Amino acid sequence: GAAMAHGHGHCCCCGETAAAAIGGDRERGAAWGLYLRIDRQRLQCLNERREGSGALVFRAWEERGDRAQFVESDDDEELLFNIPFTGNVKLKGVIVMGEDDDTHPAEMRLFKNIPHMSFDDAAREPDQMFSLNRDPRGELEYPTKIARFSNVYHLSIHFPKNFGAETTKIFYIGLKGEWTEAHRHEVTICNYEASANPADHKLEQITPQTHFIS
């Protein structure tokens, strides 16, 4: 087992080659580890029939076959996921696994960095759109335009329609890519300026050159 564990930190980079390797299941699973980088407290699924069920579809690639965990739409066939990450993500691919019937989503629209999207917001032009095939085993990977999804802190996935059923059912959504920690410096500086506290003046004395930056 020691040999397999070696170099786990680099898995995110070798995602492409690992996926092509025959029997490289463990490596392939590691490539689909972005679900670990989702801020689950703030994850939203709009129009889910059972509250909290949308979050269940983001799990380990190896567990995609667990058919007890799924989300089903409520009022109509639409589902909209708002997925905030705990850092910045370079999104490389998506898997969508449903039932081998008409409840399977037929179209997927991706939006980046629009937190708290509503169905009204989803009327706008997506960053990328895919026509989906039925994928009951979670084998089809939809590659994203990486240049467009290289700096994603929030991903929205809109499923506008399925293959004709009244509701849509999804068992698993896989997200492949790389994650980097977010830089929080900007936030700290904004907080300083927002609150008039004595620290501001100390700050100015230490860094007078900031006044000359236009």
Side-chain angles (χ1 to χ4, degrees):
M4 288 299 281
H6 171 73
H8 250 345
H10 309 295
C11 280
C12 51
C13 318
C14 62
E16 267 93 53
T17 46
I22 295 165
D25 250 24
R26 185 184 297 199
E27 284 145 11
R28 181 159 184 207
W32 294 91
L34 276 187
Y35 73 97
L36 294 167
R37 305 301 188 181
I38 293 172
D39 181 349
R40 291 198 175 253
Q41 301 300 309
R42 289 171 34 236
L43 174 71
Q44 276 183 318
C45 177
L46 305 189
N47 198 34
E48 59 184 5
R49 177 167 293 185
R50 203 170 73 249
E51 197 176 335
S53 57
L56 302 175
V57 304
F58 299 98
R59 55 182 187 271
W61 186 79
E62 297 84 353
E63 291 167 24
R64 68 194 185 287
D66 177 0
R67 301 187 94 71
Q69 303 195 65
F70 64 88
V71 62
E72 189 171 2
S73 64
D74 191 16
D75 290 335
D76 54 25
E77 74 276 28
E78 282 189 89
L79 281 169
L80 175 61
F81 291 89
N82 280 317
I83 307 156
F85 294 105
T86 57
N88 288 322
V89 163
K90 181 188 280 187
L91 184 68
K92 295 182 172 183
V94 184
I95 288 176
V96 180
M97 177 181 151
E99 212 58 282
D100 196 7
D101 64 17
D102 291 347
T103 64
H104 195 295
E107 194 177 283
M108 170 171 67
R109 304 165 77 241
L110 303 181
F111 300 86
K112 67 165 191 197
N113 301 345
I114 312 174
H116 311 296
M117 271 189 83
S118 67
F119 284 111
D120 289 345
D121 298 327
R124 71 172 77 186
E125 193 67 27
D127 289 294
Q128 196 168 355
M129 192 173 102
F130 300 90
S131 289
L132 303 181
N133 293 307
R134 289 191 184 92
D135 186 13
R137 287 195 292 276
E139 294 168 336
L140 303 176
E141 176 181 343
Y142 298 93
T144 58
K145 296 172 180 156
I146 295 176
R148 198 170 284 186
F149 290 94
S150 63
N151 198 5
V152 180
Y153 59 85
H154 185 285
L155 176 69
S156 297
I157 308 181
H158 179 220
F159 297 100
K161 57 177 193 259
N162 57 29
F163 285 94
E166 281 182 25
T167 60
T168 296
K169 208 169 179 183
I170 298 173
F171 288 98
Y172 168 80
I173 296 177
L175 302 173
K176 181 171 94 172
E178 296 166 21
W179 176 86
T180 48
E181 215 162 330
H183 298 297
R184 298 242 173 255
H185 306 307
E186 306 87 56
V187 183
T188 339
I189 293 164
C190 300
N191 289 350
Y192 267 128
E193 288 162 8
S195 57
N197 77 35
D200 288 4
H201 305 296
K202 278 194 210 118
L203 202 69
E204 282 161 21
Q205 285 156 22
I206 301 162
T207 54
Q209 72 274 20
T210 51
H211 295 302
F212 305 114
I213 296 169
S214 56

